[in-house]
Amino acid sequence: MNLELAELLGIVTGDGSCGVPSAENVISVCIDKKLKLYQERVFDLFNEVFIGADNIKLNEKETVNTVDFSSKAAVDYFNTIGFKKGSTFENKRIPSIIWQSSNEFKAAYLRGLFDTDGYVSGVLGMSCKNEDLAKDVQLLLLELGIRSKVDRVKNDHNDISVVTIKGRTNVELYNKYIGFSLHYKNDNINDLIKSNRSSGKNGLKLRSIQDY
């Protein structure tokens, strides 16, 4: 286990797939076509986790690009560490290896997940179709001392689960120990923190991640 693997697992949980029926031996991640630097980031993570792999490809599609890694051994490995082969956005869960890891690896996993499924727009949060995954995320955040709330809401198309992190202390803990790899989300969370500080919301002393 290393930090690159933990972050990659979070990314695949958010916007990826592993061994689905239409691509049984492929791990794939969908990325907005405009996010060129993040495409390179994901490509590099695959190379760092699976050293020497020569079948990692960036495929350009109409609305999104995908980073695809064709490897039965990699799909089987993900399955053994708790990322179940063939799982979809409706039933993905946090892999067992993350629950068994130290807080540093849990933070890396959450960074990958929030890079893909997270947002900062007045509040810090993430959304997903799967309510069980949302509750997993809430518990994993709590293990890092970060309180959050899970709500089930209806959008234009279907019901989704939303994990919301509110309060200056919780947002600052997230930013200090997890953060984002995406620059625009980093800018947004820093703006949110400045806004919370200027309004005097919830100004408590931060604890160390080792305290949890």
Side-chain angles (χ1 to χ4, degrees):
M1 182 65 170
N2 55 41
L3 293 175
E4 291 78 16
L5 173 59
E7 185 173 348
L8 182 61
L9 285 169
I11 292 169
V12 179
T13 302
D15 274 347
S17 63
C18 177
V20 296
S22 59
E24 290 189 348
N25 297 321
V26 178
I27 301 173
S28 180
V29 176
C30 295
I31 307 169
D32 190 312
K33 292 175 72 71
K34 300 188 294 293
L35 300 177
K36 300 296 185 182
L37 289 177
Y38 196 64
Q39 292 171 28
E40 295 175 10
R41 168 75 176 166
V42 173
F43 195 92
D44 289 344
L45 283 173
F46 272 107
N47 277 298
E48 290 168 9
V49 171
F50 301 102
I51 298 172
D54 58 0
N55 47 352
I56 305 169
K57 301 186 182 303
L58 175 64
N59 294 308
E60 296 196 6
K61 301 187 178 182
E62 184 174 347
T63 56
V64 298
N65 292 342
T66 62
V67 178
D68 300 322
F69 179 35
S70 299
S71 170
K72 182 179 184 300
V75 170
D76 290 343
Y77 173 63
F78 266 35
N79 190 64
T80 63
I81 61 176
F83 196 107
K84 298 302 181 183
K85 179 178 179 179
S87 56
T88 70
F89 65 91
E90 293 183 330
N91 57 16
K92 288 178 188 175
R93 302 293 296 273
I94 293 177
S96 54
I97 194 172
I98 298 299
W99 291 114
Q100 298 160 7
S101 300
S102 68
N103 286 347
E104 186 179 19
F105 296 102
K106 291 173 182 174
Y109 173 85
L110 287 167
R111 183 181 313 115
L113 181 56
F114 273 74
D115 271 337
T116 49
D117 276 353
Y119 57 87
V120 187
S121 179
V123 295
L124 168 63
M126 65 151 283
S127 61
C128 59
K129 174 72 172 176
N130 181 359
E131 186 174 11
D132 289 331
L133 176 59
K135 291 178 179 178
D136 281 353
V137 171
Q138 182 184 37
L139 182 57
L140 197 64
L141 286 166
L142 191 58
E143 292 195 5
L144 301 181
I146 301 168
R147 296 183 181 277
S148 61
K149 181 183 179 184
V150 175
D151 293 298
R152 193 73 177 168
V153 301
K154 182 181 288 292
N155 63 13
D156 293 338
H157 305 289
N158 48 41
D159 292 342
I160 61 172
S161 291
V162 176
V163 182
T164 306
I165 301 170
K166 291 184 177 180
R168 175 178 161 186
T169 300
N170 293 312
V171 174
E172 290 191 6
L173 279 171
Y174 176 92
N175 194 41
K176 183 174 183 179
Y177 296 121
I178 301 172
F180 293 101
S181 295
L182 283 166
H183 296 306
Y184 80 91
K185 290 188 179 182
N186 260 329
D187 291 341
N188 289 346
I189 194 171
N190 285 324
D191 288 343
L192 178 61
I193 288 170
K194 289 177 184 177
S195 174
N196 285 344
R197 285 177 176 171
S198 64
S199 65
K201 293 180 180 177
N202 193 15
L204 301 177
K205 182 180 179 181
L206 299 181
R207 288 174 283 180
S208 166
I209 197 169
Q210 285 81 19
D211 293 339
Y212 300 100

